[in-house]
């Protein structure tokens, strides 16, 4: 049987986040958006995941998965945690942040790399204070809280793209 993007089981409901600590709320919203992206891909085969459906854009669902793995790595691990590591999918100077160079044959591997990167990013932030700061690449001090908020908006924006891509692929709509 051919590989398809696996189904996603929600780990939390959004209503559960209404009365939790700030840290739990930020982590919960980020988890929700990560799961939403994967839910937009669930049940699709590799060829569907690399299909461009909103011309003239070259966006694909697999490209979004790859891109968000890159963005997570950049902010949580390379910037906040100061890890001296390269990119997940791209070279340091290509500027596409994982959106380009998608291949159906790599879909299963790319999903595994995304999941591994999310785990590594969660580990990099675990136990760290939201107030902890680091210097951005422009020398501006930023906090871990800022990284969480940035990542939530990054996923929210790209999940909107994923909505259109999925609907144009097979007509599916909704949160998964």
């Amino acid at each position: 049987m051919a590989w398809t993007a696996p189904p996603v089981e929600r780990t939390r409901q959004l209503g559960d986040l209404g009365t939790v600590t700030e840290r739990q709320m930020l982590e919960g919203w980020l988890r929700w958006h990560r799961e939403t992206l994967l839910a937009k891909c669930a049940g699709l085969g590799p060829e569907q995941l690399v299909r461009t459906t909103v011309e003239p854009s070259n966006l694909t669902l697999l490209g979004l998965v790859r891109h968000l793995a890159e963005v997570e790595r950049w902010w949580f691990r390379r910037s906040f945690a100061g890890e001296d590591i390269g990119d997940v999918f791209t070279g340091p100077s290509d500027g596409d942040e994982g959106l380009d160079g998608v291949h159906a044959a790599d879909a299963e591997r790319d999903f595994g790399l995304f999941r591994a990167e999310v785990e590594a990013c969660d580990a990099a932030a675990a136990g760290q204070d939201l107030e902890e700061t680091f210097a951005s690449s422009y020398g501006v001090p930023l906090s871990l809280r800022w990284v969480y908020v940035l990542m939530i908006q990054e996923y929210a924006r790209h999940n909107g793209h994923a909505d259109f891509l999925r609907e144009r692929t097979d007509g599916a709509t909704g949160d998964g």
Side-chain angles (χ1 to χ4, degrees):
M1 184 170 169
W3 180 87
T4 59
V8 175
E9 190 166 324
R10 293 287 186 183
T11 57
R12 264 191 128 133
Q13 296 303 312
L14 290 179
D16 298 341
L17 299 175
T19 58
V20 297
T21 68
E22 178 185 18
R23 179 65 175 255
Q24 292 169 321
M25 187 177 293
L26 292 171
E27 290 174 348
W29 272 102
L30 181 54
R31 185 175 306 110
W32 174 267
H33 281 293
R34 288 168 171 165
E35 291 169 355
T36 297
L37 177 65
L38 295 177
K40 293 294 174 189
C41 299
L44 296 179
E47 293 298 330
Q48 292 171 302
L49 292 168
V50 300
R51 194 170 153 228
T52 58
T53 61
V54 186
E55 293 77 18
S57 173
N58 67 343
L59 276 179
T60 66
L61 287 165
L62 186 58
L64 290 175
V65 169
R66 291 164 45 98
H67 172 69
L68 285 156
E70 290 290 351
V71 175
E72 291 238 17
R73 177 176 280 204
W74 173 261
W75 286 110
F76 281 111
R77 297 181 64 198
R78 294 171 77 181
S79 297
F80 174 72
E83 293 181 34
D84 186 16
I85 53 176
D87 297 327
V88 182
F89 296 108
T90 61
S93 62
D94 70 4
D96 75 12
E97 296 178 319
L99 290 168
D100 294 329
V102 297
H103 302 285
D106 298 330
E108 185 175 8
R109 179 205 67 174
D110 291 354
F111 269 71
L113 289 170
F114 171 85
R115 289 183 184 276
E117 193 57 39
V118 164
E119 287 180 24
C121 289
D122 285 346
Q128 305 300 317
D129 193 292
L130 292 174
E131 300 294 329
E132 188 172 332
T133 62
F134 62 97
S136 75
S137 58
Y138 296 107
V140 176
L142 301 171
S143 69
L144 178 58
R145 175 184 290 106
W146 186 91
V147 173
Y148 273 106
V149 172
L150 172 78
M151 289 307 306
I152 291 165
Q153 76 79 29
E154 183 83 7
Y155 272 95
R157 183 164 42 99
H158 288 311
N159 281 339
H161 298 137
D163 282 338
F164 287 123
L165 292 167
R166 180 63 189 250
E167 185 173 7
R168 291 291 305 259
T169 297
D170 69 353
T173 59
D175 284 336

